Amino acid sequence: MPERLFVCTPSKLGAYADCPRRYRYTYVDRPSPQKGPPWAHNSLGASVHTALKNWYSVPPERRVPESLPTLLKATWVREGYRDVDQERVTYRKALGWLETYVTGLDPQDEPLGVERTVATKTALLAFNGRADRIDSRAGEQGPEAVIVDYKTGRSGLDADDARGSQALALYAYAAQRVFRRPCHRVELHHLPTGTVAAHEHTEESLARQVARAEDTARDIIAAEKAVAAGGDPDAEFPTNPGTLCGWCDFRRTCPAGQQAQAKDPWAAVEHLERASG
């Protein structure tokens, strides 16, 4: 019998690459250990992403900055903030980012997809992922697809971030097959700074990222089989202690994570208050 394809998303592969133990807690252990409280920065990111999704869902004549307060209020996620004052500061910052960002967009432009799921298969993977936006742009040989990913984190991004992103490469690889057109350009749109970090993949560089994903999948499959055969789950899915431990949803469950200083749920948005002061 042929091996069943490994079903994966970018976040699933990324969880294992960051820390095999976190992967186990998320995808293997049942019931999964209880997570910590929600993070304010995740709420912020989700709110901004959904507001932009809904901006594209309204008619072109309503795609104006003046529509954004209504769109953002309708999608605002309130979890994780320290208090109402911090939430209000963050909301105002997010609204400012969005208003600046949409002034650079053509309201008449209709992307190939917004929050679009793309999927494809390889000899080992059954991959699917949801891209923030997939643009249609003119290329040398005709229309091309471009992957756009929104970012709301504190730090700016550069071309190396776009080049090294496995998720963006996998989206591009899948989008080529879904839309049957070239897709080599990937872009990270950092809303807080209004900057775009871009990379032009080649077929070879996309293939390398796919091969890297397959290598990760092989490691996961081997670990899961070892546990199913009676192996020690802690040994097969070891921890990867580091700075991410303080931000991990499973810090309280993981012995290594408990050694890290816990981060407050609102820690990643505190700088916005200082910037507004």
Side-chain angles (χ1 to χ4, degrees), residues 148-220:
V148 173
D149 194 60
Y150 307 129
K151 294 297 182 185
T152 57
R154 179 175 184 175
S155 58
L157 302 162
D158 59 25
D160 284 342
D161 295 299
R163 178 183 58 81
S165 171
Q166 184 182 73
L168 294 185
L170 292 174
Y171 291 145
Y173 181 83
Q176 287 196 133
R177 286 143 183 82
V178 171
F179 295 104
R180 300 185 183 280
R181 64 170 71 184
C183 185
H184 296 111
R185 184 174 177 86
V186 298
E187 296 179 350
L188 294 168
H189 291 203
H190 189 242
L191 272 69
T193 57
T195 56
V196 174
H199 179 68
E200 291 281 350
H201 276 288
T202 63
E203 287 299 311
E204 290 75 20
S205 66
L206 290 177
R208 285 195 296 272
Q209 288 282 17
V210 171
R212 188 176 135 219
E214 290 180 328
D215 286 342
T216 300
R218 290 186 185 94
D219 290 341
I220 294 171

Side-chain angles (χ1 to χ4, degrees), residues 68-120:
L68 286 168
T70 299
L71 293 175
L72 186 59
K73 284 178 183 175
T75 67
W76 189 252
V77 181
R78 307 194 63 181
E79 296 178 317
Y81 295 99
R82 184 190 62 239
D83 51 36
V84 173
D85 289 339
Q86 185 185 59
E87 183 185 346
R88 285 174 177 162
V89 167
T90 307
Y91 172 86
R92 288 196 296 268
K93 286 288 184 182
L95 182 59
W97 300 341
L98 286 166
E99 289 173 339
T100 300
Y101 182 70
V102 301
T103 59
L105 301 177
D106 182 354
Q108 300 298 322
D109 188 36
E110 296 292 346
L112 287 172
V114 176
E115 295 286 340
R116 171 63 188 263
T117 296
V118 290
T120 191

Side-chain angles (χ1 to χ4, degrees), residues 107-152:
Q108 300 298 322
D109 188 36
E110 296 292 346
L112 287 172
V114 176
E115 295 286 340
R116 171 63 188 263
T117 296
V118 290
T120 191
K121 294 178 181 178
T122 74
L124 180 66
L125 304 177
F127 168 82
N128 71 88
R130 189 170 61 184
D132 291 343
R133 198 173 87 218
I134 304 174
D135 286 350
S136 177
R137 301 186 196 170
E140 293 182 1
Q141 306 298 323
E144 297 182 355
V146 176
I147 304 298
V148 173
D149 194 60
Y150 307 129
K151 294 297 182 185
T152 57

